[in-house]
Amino acid sequence: GIFNRVIAAADNPINETNSALMRETRFIPTQKFPFRMDIKIAGRLVSLISFQKESPVAILIDNKEIAQSFSILFQAMWDLLGAMPPEQNGPSSAPRPSVV
């Protein structure tokens, strides 16, 4: 029952916005920003996860200041991606439903 906001690579349609799953997604252009890891922020925790088959790595940080800084960076990216035209922000140019 926790609402999630997700920033995902544009070539990864797995995380599409889905109100039933309580998820709103904005996509980052993959060619310009080839970001290939997962970052989760929850309270004072930040997890950094690389899913490379050869050498997967996960780091869990329990620190309020670091979590706040990651949250600020996330919000900045979220706002910038929300201002992008749909054709530059996702796997398709179809408008995404908003989650309220």
Side-chain angles (χ1 to χ4, degrees):
I2 298 173
F3 182 80
N4 285 282
R5 291 188 307 160
V6 176
I7 296 174
D11 63 356
N12 179 1
I14 294 171
N15 290 311
E16 285 281 347
T17 292
N18 184 321
S19 58
L21 296 176
M22 298 179 64
R23 177 176 61 222
E24 181 178 0
T25 303
R26 293 188 180 166
F27 291 91
I28 192 163
T30 309
Q31 288 186 340
K32 189 170 183 180
F33 304 103
F35 203 72
R36 295 292 178 211
M37 64 176 294
D38 186 55
I39 299 173
K40 298 213 182 294
I41 309 160
R44 57 180 288 130
L45 298 174
V46 177
S47 66
L48 308 170
I49 304 168
S50 169
F51 296 109
Q52 291 180 333
K53 290 182 182 181
E54 305 80 34
S55 58
V57 175
I59 299 169
L60 180 63
I61 301 168
D62 183 350
N63 181 278
K64 181 180 176 183
E65 289 76 23
I66 292 174
Q68 286 175 338
S69 293
F70 269 92
S71 292
I72 291 166
L73 290 170
F74 178 91
Q75 187 62 51
M77 288 178 60
W78 184 263
D79 292 347
L80 289 170
L81 292 169
M84 291 177 65
E87 64 273 6
Q88 293 180 18
N89 183 15
S92 72
S93 59
R96 289 183 180 72
S98 61
V99 177
V100 182

Coordinates of all heavy atoms in Angstrom, one line a residue:
G1 N 0.8 -1.2 0.0 CA 0.0 0.0 0.0 C 0.8 1.3 0.0 O 0.4 2.3 0.5
I2 N 2.1 1.2 -0.5 CA 2.9 2.4 -0.6 C 3.0 2.9 -2.0 O 3.4 2.2 -2.9 CB 4.3 2.1 0.0 CG1 4.3 1.7 1.4 CG2 5.2 3.3 -0.2 CD1 5.6 1.2 2.0
F3 N 2.6 4.2 -2.2 CA 2.7 4.8 -3.6 C 4.2 5.0 -4.0 O 5.0 5.4 -3.1 CB 2.0 6.1 -3.6 CG 2.0 6.8 -4.9 CD1 1.1 6.4 -5.9 CD2 2.9 7.8 -5.2 CE1 1.1 7.0 -7.1 CE2 2.9 8.4 -6.5 CZ 2.0 8.0 -7.4
N4 N 4.5 4.6 -5.2 CA 5.9 4.8 -5.7 C 5.9 5.7 -6.9 O 5.1 5.7 -7.8 CB 6.4 3.4 -6.2 CG 6.7 2.5 -5.1 OD1 7.8 2.6 -4.5 ND2 5.9 1.5 -4.8
R5 N 7.0 6.5 -6.9 CA 7.3 7.3 -8.0 C 8.6 6.7 -8.6 O 9.5 6.5 -7.8 CB 7.5 8.8 -7.7 CG 6.2 9.5 -7.3 CD 6.4 11.0 -7.1 NE 7.5 11.3 -6.2 CZ 8.1 12.5 -6.2 NH1 7.7 13.4 -7.0 NH2 9.1 12.7 -5.3
V6 N 8.6 6.4 -9.9 CA 9.7 5.7 -10.5 C 10.3 6.5 -11.6 O 9.6 7.1 -12.4 CB 9.3 4.3 -11.0 CG1 10.4 3.6 -11.7 CG2 8.7 3.5 -9.9
I7 N 11.6 6.6 -11.7 CA 12.3 7.1 -12.9 C 13.0 5.9 -13.5 O 13.8 5.3 -12.8 CB 13.3 8.3 -12.5 CG1 12.6 9.5 -11.9 CG2 14.1 8.6 -13.8 CD1 13.5 10.6 -11.4
A8 N 12.7 5.6 -14.7 CA 13.2 4.4 -15.3 C 13.8 4.7 -16.7 O 13.5 5.8 -17.3 CB 12.1 3.4 -15.5
A9 N 14.7 3.9 -17.2 CA 15.2 4.0 -18.5 C 14.1 3.9 -19.5 O 13.2 3.1 -19.4 CB 16.3 2.9 -18.8
A10 N 14.2 4.7 -20.6 CA 13.1 4.8 -21.6 C 13.0 3.5 -22.3 O 11.9 3.2 -22.8 CB 13.3 5.9 -22.5
D11 N 14.0 2.7 -22.4 CA 13.9 1.4 -23.1 C 13.5 0.3 -22.2 O 13.6 -0.9 -22.5 CB 15.3 1.1 -23.8 CG 16.4 0.9 -22.8 OD1 16.2 1.1 -21.6 OD2 17.5 0.5 -23.2
N12 N 13.0 0.6 -21.0 CA 12.5 -0.4 -20.0 C 11.1 -0.1 -19.7 O 10.8 0.6 -18.7 CB 13.4 -0.4 -18.8 CG 12.9 -1.4 -17.7 OD1 12.0 -2.1 -17.9 ND2 13.6 -1.4 -16.6
P13 N 10.1 -0.6 -20.5 CA 8.7 -0.4 -20.3 C 8.1 -1.2 -19.1 O 6.9 -1.0 -18.9 CB 8.1 -0.7 -21.6 CG 9.0 -1.8 -22.1 CD 10.4 -1.4 -21.7
I14 N 8.9 -1.9 -18.4 CA 8.3 -2.7 -17.3 C 7.7 -1.9 -16.2 O 6.7 -2.3 -15.6 CB 9.5 -3.6 -16.7 CG1 9.9 -4.6 -17.7 CG2 9.0 -4.3 -15.4 CD1 11.2 -5.4 -17.3
N15 N 8.2 -0.7 -16.0 CA 7.8 0.1 -14.9 C 6.7 1.2 -15.3 O 6.7 2.2 -14.7 CB 8.9 0.8 -14.2 CG 9.8 -0.1 -13.4 OD1 9.3 -0.9 -12.6 ND2 11.1 -0.1 -13.6
E16 N 5.9 0.9 -16.3 CA 4.9 1.9 -16.7 C 4.0 2.3 -15.6 O 3.8 1.6 -14.6 CB 4.0 1.2 -17.8 CG 4.6 1.1 -19.1 CD 4.7 2.4 -19.9 OE1 4.0 3.3 -19.6 OE2 5.4 2.4 -20.9
T17 N 3.5 3.5 -15.7 CA 2.6 4.1 -14.7 C 1.4 3.1 -14.6 O 0.9 2.6 -15.6 CB 2.1 5.5 -15.1 OG1 3.2 6.4 -15.0 CG2 1.0 5.9 -14.3
N18 N 1.0 2.8 -13.4 CA -0.1 1.8 -13.1 C -0.7 2.2 -11.8 O -0.2 2.0 -10.8 CB 0.5 0.4 -13.1 CG -0.6 -0.6 -13.0 OD1 -1.6 -0.4 -12.2 ND2 -0.4 -1.8 -13.6
S19 N -1.9 2.8 -11.9 CA -2.6 3.2 -10.7 C -3.0 2.1 -9.8 O -3.0 2.2 -8.6 CB -3.9 4.1 -11.1 OG -4.8 3.3 -11.9
A20 N -3.3 0.9 -10.4 CA -3.6 -0.3 -9.5 C -2.4 -0.7 -8.7 O -2.6 -1.2 -7.6 CB -4.1 -1.4 -10.4
L21 N -1.2 -0.5 -9.2 CA 0.0 -0.9 -8.5 C 0.5 0.3 -7.7 O 1.6 0.2 -7.2 CB 1.1 -1.4 -9.5 CG 0.7 -2.7 -10.2 CD1 1.8 -3.1 -11.2 CD2 0.5 -3.8 -9.2
M22 N -0.2 1.4 -7.7 CA 0.2 2.6 -7.0 C 1.6 3.1 -7.5 O 2.4 3.4 -6.7 CB 0.1 2.4 -5.5 CG -1.2 2.0 -5.0 SD -1.3 1.7 -3.2 CE -0.9 3.3 -2.6
R23 N 1.7 3.2 -8.8 CA 3.0 3.6 -9.3 C 2.8 4.7 -10.4 O 2.0 4.5 -11.3 CB 3.7 2.4 -9.9 CG 5.1 2.7 -10.6 CD 5.8 1.5 -11.0 NE 5.0 0.8 -12.0 CZ 4.9 -0.6 -12.1 NH1 5.5 -1.3 -11.2 NH2 4.1 -1.1 -13.0
E24 N 3.6 5.7 -10.3 CA 3.7 6.7 -11.4 C 5.2 6.7 -11.9 O 6.1 6.8 -11.1 CB 3.3 8.1 -11.0 CG 3.4 9.1 -12.1 CD 3.0 10.5 -11.7 OE1 2.6 10.8 -10.5 OE2 3.0 11.4 -12.6
T25 N 5.3 6.7 -13.2 CA 6.7 6.5 -13.8 C 6.9 7.7 -14.8 O 6.1 8.1 -15.5 CB 6.8 5.2 -14.5 OG1 6.5 4.1 -13.6 CG2 8.2 5.0 -15.1
R26 N 8.2 8.2 -14.7 CA 8.7 9.1 -15.7 C 9.9 8.4 -16.3 O 10.7 7.8 -15.5 CB 9.0 10.5 -15.1 CG 7.7 11.1 -14.7 CD 7.9 12.6 -14.3 NE 6.6 13.1 -13.9 CZ 6.4 14.2 -13.3 NH1 7.5 15.0 -13.0 NH2 5.2 14.6 -13.0
F27 N 10.1 8.6 -17.6 CA 11.3 7.9 -18.2 C 12.4 8.8 -18.6 O 12.1 10.0 -19.0 CB 10.8 7.1 -19.5 CG 9.9 6.0 -19.1 CD1 8.5 6.1 -19.0 CD2 10.4 4.7 -18.9 CE1 7.7 5.1 -18.7 CE2 9.6 3.7 -18.5 CZ 8.3 3.8 -18.4
I28 N 13.6 8.4 -18.4 CA 14.8 9.1 -18.7 C 15.3 8.6 -20.1 O 15.3 7.4 -20.3 CB 15.8 9.0 -17.6 CG1 17.0 10.0 -17.8 CG2 16.4 7.6 -17.5 CD1 17.8 10.2 -16.6
P29 N 15.7 9.5 -21.0 CA 16.2 9.1 -22.3 C 17.4 8.2 -22.2 O 18.4 8.7 -21.7 CB 16.5 10.4 -23.1 CG 15.7 11.5 -22.3 CD 15.6 11.0 -20.9
T30 N 17.3 7.0 -22.6 CA 18.4 6.0 -22.5 C 19.6 6.4 -23.3 O 20.7 6.2 -22.8 CB 17.9 4.6 -22.9 OG1 16.7 4.4 -22.2 CG2 18.9 3.6 -22.5
Q31 N 19.5 6.9 -24.5 CA 20.6 7.1 -25.3 C 21.5 8.3 -24.7 O 22.7 8.3 -24.7 CB 20.2 7.5 -26.7 CG 19.8 6.2 -27.5 CD 19.5 6.6 -28.9 OE1 19.3 7.7 -29.3 NE2 19.5 5.5 -29.8
K32 N 20.8 9.3 -24.2 CA 21.5 10.4 -23.6 C 22.0 10.1 -22.2 O 23.1 10.6 -21.8 CB 20.6 11.6 -23.5 CG 21.3 12.9 -23.2 CD 20.4 14.1 -23.4 CE 21.2 15.4 -23.0 NZ 20.3 16.6 -23.2
F33 N 21.3 9.3 -21.4 CA 21.7 8.9 -20.0 C 21.6 7.4 -19.9 O 20.6 6.9 -19.4 CB 20.7 9.6 -19.1 CG 20.7 11.1 -19.2 CD1 19.6 11.7 -19.8 CD2 21.7 11.9 -18.7 CE1 19.5 13.1 -20.0 CE2 21.7 13.3 -18.9 CZ 20.6 13.9 -19.5
P34 N 22.6 6.7 -20.2 CA 22.6 5.2 -20.1 C 22.8 4.7 -18.7 O 23.7 4.0 -18.4 CB 23.7 4.8 -21.1 CG 24.7 5.9 -21.0 CD 23.9 7.2 -20.8
F35 N 21.9 5.1 -17.9 CA 21.9 4.7 -16.4 C 21.5 3.3 -16.3 O 20.4 2.9 -16.7 CB 21.0 5.7 -15.7 CG 21.2 5.8 -14.3 CD1 22.3 6.6 -13.8 CD2 20.4 5.3 -13.3 CE1 22.6 6.7 -12.5 CE2 20.6 5.4 -12.0 CZ 21.7 6.2 -11.6
R36 N 22.3 2.4 -15.7 CA 22.0 1.0 -15.6 C 22.1 0.4 -14.2 O 22.7 -0.6 -13.9 CB 23.0 0.2 -16.5 CG 22.8 0.5 -17.9 CD 21.5 0.0 -18.4 NE 21.2 0.3 -19.8 CZ 20.1 0.5 -20.3 NH1 19.0 0.4 -19.6 NH2 19.9 0.8 -21.6
M37 N 21.5 1.1 -13.2 CA 21.4 0.6 -11.9 C 20.1 1.0 -11.2 O 19.4 1.8 -11.8 CB 22.6 1.1 -11.0 CG 22.7 2.5 -10.8 SD 24.0 3.1 -9.7 CE 23.6 2.4 -8.2
D38 N 19.8 0.5 -10.1 CA 18.6 0.8 -9.4 C 18.9 1.5 -8.1 O 19.8 1.1 -7.4 CB 17.8 -0.5 -9.1 CG 16.5 -0.3 -8.5 OD1 15.7 0.4 -9.1 OD2 16.2 -0.8 -7.4
I39 N 18.2 2.6 -7.9 CA 18.4 3.4 -6.6 C 17.0 3.5 -6.0 O 16.1 3.9 -6.6 CB 18.9 4.8 -6.9 CG1 20.3 4.7 -7.5 CG2 19.0 5.6 -5.5 CD1 20.8 6.1 -8.0
K40 N 16.9 3.1 -4.7 CA 15.7 3.2 -4.0 C 15.9 4.1 -2.8 O 16.9 3.9 -2.1 CB 15.2 1.8 -3.6 CG 14.9 0.9 -4.7 CD 13.7 0.0 -4.4 CE 13.4 -0.9 -5.5 NZ 13.0 -0.4 -6.7
I41 N 15.0 5.0 -2.5 CA 15.1 5.8 -1.3 C 13.8 5.6 -0.5 O 12.7 5.7 -1.0 CB 15.1 7.3 -1.8 CG1 16.2 7.5 -2.8 CG2 15.3 8.2 -0.6 CD1 16.0 8.8 -3.7
A42 N 14.0 5.3 0.8 CA 12.9 5.1 1.7 C 13.3 5.6 3.1 O 14.2 5.0 3.7 CB 12.5 3.7 1.8
G43 N 12.7 6.7 3.5 CA 13.1 7.3 4.8 C 14.5 7.7 4.8 O 15.0 8.5 4.0
R44 N 15.3 7.1 5.7 CA 16.7 7.4 5.9 C 17.6 6.3 5.2 O 18.8 6.3 5.3 CB 17.1 7.6 7.3 CG 16.8 6.4 8.2 CD 17.2 6.5 9.7 NE 18.7 6.5 9.8 CZ 19.4 7.4 10.4 NH1 18.8 8.4 11.0 NH2 20.7 7.3 10.5
L45 N 17.0 5.4 4.4 CA 17.7 4.4 3.7 C 17.8 4.7 2.2 O 16.9 5.1 1.6 CB 17.0 3.0 3.9 CG 16.9 2.5 5.3 CD1 16.0 1.2 5.3 CD2 18.2 2.3 5.9
V46 N 19.0 4.4 1.7 CA 19.2 4.4 0.2 C 19.8 3.1 -0.2 O 20.8 2.7 0.4 CB 20.1 5.6 -0.2 CG1 20.4 5.6 -1.7 CG2 19.6 6.9 0.3
S47 N 19.3 2.4 -1.2 CA 19.9 1.2 -1.7 C 20.4 1.5 -3.1 O 19.7 2.1 -3.9 CB 19.0 0.0 -1.7 OG 17.9 0.2 -2.6
L48 N 21.6 1.1 -3.4 CA 22.2 1.2 -4.7 C 22.4 -0.2 -5.2 O 23.1 -1.0 -4.6 CB 23.5 2.0 -4.7 CG 23.5 3.3 -4.0 CD1 24.9 3.8 -3.7 CD2 22.7 4.3 -4.7
I49 N 21.9 -0.6 -6.4 CA 21.9 -2.0 -6.8 C 22.3 -2.0 -8.3 O 21.7 -1.4 -9.1 CB 20.6 -2.7 -6.7 CG1 20.1 -2.6 -5.2 CG2 20.7 -4.1 -7.1 CD1 18.7 -3.1 -5.0
S50 N 23.4 -2.8 -8.6 CA 23.8 -3.0 -10.0 C 23.4 -4.5 -10.3 O 23.8 -5.4 -9.5 CB 25.3 -2.8 -10.1 OG 25.8 -3.3 -11.3
F51 N 22.8 -4.7 -11.4 CA 22.3 -6.0 -11.8 C 23.1 -6.7 -12.8 O 22.7 -7.6 -13.5 CB 20.8 -5.9 -12.3 CG 19.9 -5.5 -11.2 CD1 19.3 -4.2 -11.3 CD2 19.5 -6.3 -10.2 CE1 18.4 -3.8 -10.4 CE2 18.6 -5.9 -9.2 CZ 18.0 -4.6 -9.3
Q52 N 24.4 -6.3 -12.9 CA 25.3 -7.0 -13.9 C 25.4 -8.4 -13.6 O 25.6 -8.8 -12.4 CB 26.7 -6.4 -13.9 CG 26.7 -5.0 -14.4 CD 28.2 -4.4 -14.3 OE1 29.0 -4.8 -13.5 NE2 28.5 -3.5 -15.2
K53 N 25.2 -9.3 -14.6 CA 25.2 -10.7 -14.4 C 26.6 -11.2 -13.8 O 26.7 -12.1 -13.0 CB 24.9 -11.5 -15.6 CG 23.4 -11.4 -16.0 CD 23.2 -12.2 -17.3 CE 21.7 -12.0 -17.7 NZ 21.4 -12.8 -18.9
E54 N 27.6 -10.6 -14.3 CA 29.0 -11.0 -14.0 C 29.4 -10.7 -12.5 O 30.0 -11.4 -11.9 CB 30.1 -10.4 -14.9 CG 29.8 -10.7 -16.4 CD 28.8 -9.7 -17.0 OE1 28.7 -8.5 -16.6 OE2 28.1 -10.2 -17.9
S55 N 28.9 -9.5 -12.1 CA 29.3 -9.1 -10.8 C 28.2 -8.1 -10.1 O 28.4 -6.9 -10.0 CB 30.7 -8.4 -10.8 OG 30.6 -7.3 -11.7
P56 N 27.1 -8.7 -9.7 CA 26.1 -7.9 -9.1 C 26.6 -7.3 -7.8 O 27.3 -7.9 -7.1 CB 24.9 -8.8 -8.9 CG 25.5 -10.2 -8.9 CD 26.7 -10.1 -9.8
V57 N 26.1 -6.0 -7.5 CA 26.6 -5.4 -6.3 C 25.4 -4.6 -5.7 O 24.6 -4.1 -6.4 CB 27.7 -4.3 -6.6 CG1 28.0 -3.5 -5.4 CG2 28.9 -5.0 -7.2
A58 N 25.3 -4.7 -4.4 CA 24.2 -3.9 -3.7 C 24.9 -3.2 -2.5 O 25.7 -3.8 -1.8 CB 23.1 -4.8 -3.2
I59 N 24.5 -2.0 -2.3 CA 24.9 -1.2 -1.1 C 23.7 -0.6 -0.4 O 22.8 0.0 -1.1 CB 25.9 -0.1 -1.6 CG1 27.1 -0.6 -2.3 CG2 26.3 0.8 -0.4 CD1 27.9 0.4 -3.0
L60 N 23.6 -0.7 0.9 CA 22.6 -0.1 1.6 C 23.2 0.9 2.5 O 24.1 0.6 3.3 CB 21.8 -1.2 2.5 CG 20.7 -0.6 3.3 CD1 19.6 -0.1 2.4 CD2 20.1 -1.7 4.2
I61 N 22.7 2.1 2.4 CA 23.2 3.2 3.2 C 22.1 3.7 4.2 O 20.9 4.0 3.8 CB 23.6 4.4 2.3 CG1 24.6 4.0 1.3 CG2 24.0 5.6 3.2 CD1 24.9 5.0 0.2
D62 N 22.4 3.7 5.5 CA 21.4 4.1 6.5 C 21.9 5.5 7.0 O 22.7 5.5 8.0 CB 21.3 3.1 7.6 CG 20.3 3.4 8.7 OD1 19.8 4.6 8.7 OD2 20.0 2.6 9.5
N63 N 21.5 6.6 6.4 CA 22.0 7.9 6.8 C 21.0 8.9 6.3 O 20.7 9.0 5.1 CB 23.4 8.1 6.2 CG 24.0 9.5 6.6 OD1 23.6 10.5 6.0 ND2 24.8 9.5 7.6
K64 N 20.5 9.7 7.3 CA 19.5 10.7 7.0 C 19.9 11.7 6.0 O 19.2 12.0 5.0 CB 19.1 11.4 8.3 CG 18.0 12.4 8.1 CD 17.6 13.0 9.5 CE 16.6 14.1 9.3 NZ 16.4 14.8 10.6
E65 N 21.1 12.3 6.1 CA 21.6 13.3 5.2 C 21.8 12.8 3.8 O 21.5 13.5 2.8 CB 22.9 13.9 5.8 CG 22.7 14.8 7.0 CD 22.5 14.0 8.3 OE1 22.9 12.8 8.3 OE2 21.9 14.5 9.2
I66 N 22.4 11.6 3.7 CA 22.5 11.1 2.3 C 21.2 10.8 1.7 O 21.0 11.1 0.5 CB 23.4 9.8 2.4 CG1 24.9 10.2 2.8 CG2 23.4 9.0 1.0 CD1 25.8 9.0 3.0
A67 N 20.3 10.2 2.4 CA 18.9 10.0 1.9 C 18.2 11.3 1.5 O 17.6 11.3 0.4 CB 18.1 9.2 3.0
Q68 N 18.4 12.3 2.3 CA 17.8 13.6 1.9 C 18.4 14.1 0.6 O 17.7 14.7 -0.2 CB 17.9 14.6 3.1 CG 17.0 14.3 4.2 CD 17.3 15.2 5.4 OE1 18.4 15.8 5.6 NE2 16.3 15.4 6.3
S69 N 19.7 14.0 0.5 CA 20.4 14.5 -0.7 C 19.9 13.7 -2.0 O 19.7 14.3 -3.0 CB 21.9 14.4 -0.6 OG 22.3 15.3 0.4
F70 N 19.8 12.4 -1.8 CA 19.3 11.6 -3.0 C 17.9 12.0 -3.3 O 17.5 12.0 -4.4 CB 19.4 10.1 -2.7 CG 20.7 9.5 -3.1 CD1 21.8 9.4 -2.3 CD2 20.8 8.9 -4.4 CE1 23.0 8.8 -2.7 CE2 22.0 8.4 -4.8 CZ 23.1 8.3 -4.0
S71 N 17.1 12.3 -2.2 CA 15.7 12.7 -2.5 C 15.6 14.0 -3.2 O 14.7 14.2 -4.1 CB 14.9 12.8 -1.1 OG 14.8 11.5 -0.5
I72 N 16.5 14.9 -2.9 CA 16.5 16.2 -3.6 C 16.9 16.0 -5.1 O 16.3 16.5 -6.0 CB 17.5 17.2 -2.9 CG1 17.0 17.6 -1.6 CG2 17.8 18.4 -3.8 CD1 18.0 18.3 -0.7
L73 N 17.9 15.1 -5.3 CA 18.3 14.8 -6.7 C 17.2 14.1 -7.5 O 16.9 14.5 -8.6 CB 19.5 13.9 -6.7 CG 20.8 14.6 -6.3 CD1 21.9 13.5 -6.1 CD2 21.3 15.6 -7.3
F74 N 16.5 13.2 -6.8 CA 15.3 12.5 -7.4 C 14.3 13.6 -7.8 O 13.7 13.5 -8.9 CB 14.7 11.5 -6.5 CG 13.5 10.8 -7.1 CD1 13.7 9.6 -7.8 CD2 12.3 11.3 -6.9 CE1 12.6 9.0 -8.4 CE2 11.2 10.7 -7.5 CZ 11.3 9.5 -8.2
Q75 N 13.9 14.5 -6.9 CA 12.9 15.4 -7.1 C 13.3 16.4 -8.3 O 12.4 16.7 -9.1 CB 12.6 16.3 -5.9 CG 11.4 17.2 -6.0 CD 10.1 16.4 -6.3 OE1 9.8 15.5 -5.6 NE2 9.4 16.8 -7.3
A76 N 14.5 16.8 -8.4 CA 15.0 17.6 -9.5 C 14.8 16.9 -10.8 O 14.3 17.4 -11.8 CB 16.4 18.0 -9.3
M77 N 15.2 15.6 -10.9 CA 15.1 14.8 -12.1 C 13.6 14.6 -12.4 O 13.2 14.7 -13.6 CB 15.8 13.5 -12.0 CG 17.3 13.5 -12.0 SD 18.0 11.9 -11.8 CE 17.4 11.0 -13.2
W78 N 12.8 14.3 -11.4 CA 11.4 14.1 -11.6 C 10.7 15.4 -12.3 O 10.0 15.3 -13.2 CB 10.7 13.8 -10.3 CG 9.3 13.5 -10.3 CD1 8.2 14.3 -10.1 CD2 8.7 12.2 -10.7 NE1 7.0 13.7 -10.3 CE2 7.3 12.4 -10.6 CE3 9.2 11.0 -11.0 CZ2 6.4 11.3 -10.8 CZ3 8.3 9.9 -11.2 CH2 7.0 10.1 -11.1
D79 N 11.1 16.5 -11.7 CA 10.5 17.8 -12.2 C 10.9 18.0 -13.7 O 10.1 18.4 -14.5 CB 10.9 19.0 -11.3 CG 10.2 18.9 -9.9 OD1 9.3 18.1 -9.7 OD2 10.7 19.6 -9.1
L80 N 12.2 17.8 -13.9 CA 12.7 18.0 -15.3 C 12.1 17.1 -16.3 O 11.7 17.5 -17.4 CB 14.2 17.9 -15.3 CG 15.0 19.0 -14.6 CD1 16.5 18.6 -14.5 CD2 14.9 20.3 -15.4
L81 N 12.0 15.8 -15.9 CA 11.4 14.8 -16.8 C 9.9 15.1 -17.0 O 9.4 14.8 -18.1 CB 11.6 13.4 -16.3 CG 13.0 12.9 -16.3 CD1 13.1 11.6 -15.5 CD2 13.5 12.7 -17.7
G82 N 9.2 15.7 -16.1 CA 7.8 16.0 -16.2 C 7.6 17.1 -17.2 O 6.5 17.3 -17.8
A83 N 8.6 18.0 -17.4 CA 8.5 19.1 -18.3 C 8.9 18.7 -19.8 O 8.7 19.5 -20.7 CB 9.4 20.2 -17.9
M84 N 9.4 17.4 -20.0 CA 9.8 17.0 -21.3 C 8.6 16.6 -22.1 O 7.6 16.0 -21.6 CB 10.8 15.8 -21.2 CG 12.1 16.1 -20.6 SD 13.1 14.7 -20.4 CE 13.3 14.2 -22.2
P85 N 8.6 16.8 -23.4 CA 7.6 16.3 -24.3 C 7.5 14.8 -24.2 O 8.6 14.1 -24.1 CB 8.0 16.8 -25.7 CG 9.0 17.8 -25.5 CD 9.7 17.5 -24.2
P86 N 6.3 14.1 -24.3 CA 6.2 12.7 -24.2 C 7.1 11.9 -25.2 O 7.7 10.9 -24.8 CB 4.8 12.4 -24.6 CG 4.1 13.7 -24.2 CD 5.1 14.8 -24.5
E87 N 7.3 12.4 -26.4 CA 8.2 11.7 -27.4 C 9.6 11.6 -26.9 O 10.4 10.8 -27.4 CB 8.1 12.3 -28.8 CG 8.6 13.7 -28.9 CD 7.6 14.8 -28.6 OE1 6.4 14.4 -28.2 OE2 7.9 16.0 -28.8
Q88 N 10.0 12.5 -26.0 CA 11.4 12.4 -25.5 C 11.5 11.7 -24.1 O 12.5 11.6 -23.5 CB 12.0 13.8 -25.3 CG 12.2 14.5 -26.6 CD 12.7 15.9 -26.4 OE1 13.3 16.2 -25.4 NE2 12.6 16.8 -27.4
N89 N 10.4 11.3 -23.6 CA 10.3 10.8 -22.3 C 9.5 9.5 -22.2 O 8.5 9.4 -21.5 CB 9.7 11.8 -21.4 CG 9.6 11.5 -19.9 OD1 10.3 10.5 -19.5 ND2 8.8 12.1 -19.2
G90 N 10.0 8.4 -22.8 CA 9.3 7.1 -22.6 C 9.4 6.2 -23.8 O 9.8 6.6 -24.9
P91 N 9.0 5.0 -23.6 CA 9.1 4.0 -24.7 C 8.1 4.2 -25.8 O 8.2 3.7 -26.9 CB 8.8 2.7 -23.9 CG 8.1 3.1 -22.7 CD 8.6 4.5 -22.4
S92 N 7.1 5.0 -25.6 CA 6.1 5.3 -26.6 C 5.7 6.8 -26.5 O 6.0 7.4 -25.5 CB 4.9 4.5 -26.5 OG 4.1 4.9 -25.4
S93 N 5.2 7.3 -27.6 CA 4.8 8.7 -27.5 C 3.3 8.9 -27.0 O 2.8 10.0 -26.9 CB 4.9 9.4 -28.9 OG 4.1 8.7 -29.8
A94 N 2.7 7.8 -26.6 CA 1.4 7.9 -26.1 C 1.4 8.6 -24.7 O 2.3 8.3 -23.9 CB 0.8 6.5 -25.9
P95 N 0.4 9.4 -24.4 CA 0.4 10.1 -23.1 C 0.2 9.1 -22.0 O -0.5 8.1 -22.2 CB -0.8 11.1 -23.2 CG -1.6 10.7 -24.4 CD -0.7 9.8 -25.3
R96 N 0.8 9.3 -20.9 CA 0.7 8.4 -19.8 C -0.4 8.9 -18.8 O -0.5 10.1 -18.6 CB 2.0 8.3 -19.0 CG 3.0 7.6 -19.8 CD 4.3 7.5 -18.9 NE 5.3 6.8 -19.7 CZ 5.9 7.3 -20.7 NH1 5.7 8.5 -21.1 NH2 6.8 6.6 -21.4
P97 N -1.2 8.0 -18.3 CA -2.2 8.4 -17.3 C -1.5 8.9 -16.0 O -0.4 8.5 -15.7 CB -3.0 7.1 -17.0 CG -2.1 6.0 -17.3 CD -1.1 6.6 -18.4
S98 N -2.1 9.9 -15.4 CA -1.5 10.4 -14.2 C -2.1 9.7 -13.0 O -3.2 9.2 -13.1 CB -1.7 11.9 -14.0 OG -3.1 12.2 -14.0
V99 N -1.3 9.6 -12.0 CA -1.8 8.9 -10.8 C -2.1 10.0 -9.7 O -1.3 10.9 -9.5 CB -0.7 7.9 -10.2 CG1 -1.2 7.3 -8.9 CG2 -0.4 6.9 -11.3
V100 N -3.3 9.9 -9.1 CA -3.6 10.9 -8.1 C -3.7 10.3 -6.8 O -4.0 9.2 -6.5 CB -5.0 11.5 -8.5 CG1 -5.4 12.6 -7.4 CG2 -5.0 12.1 -9.9

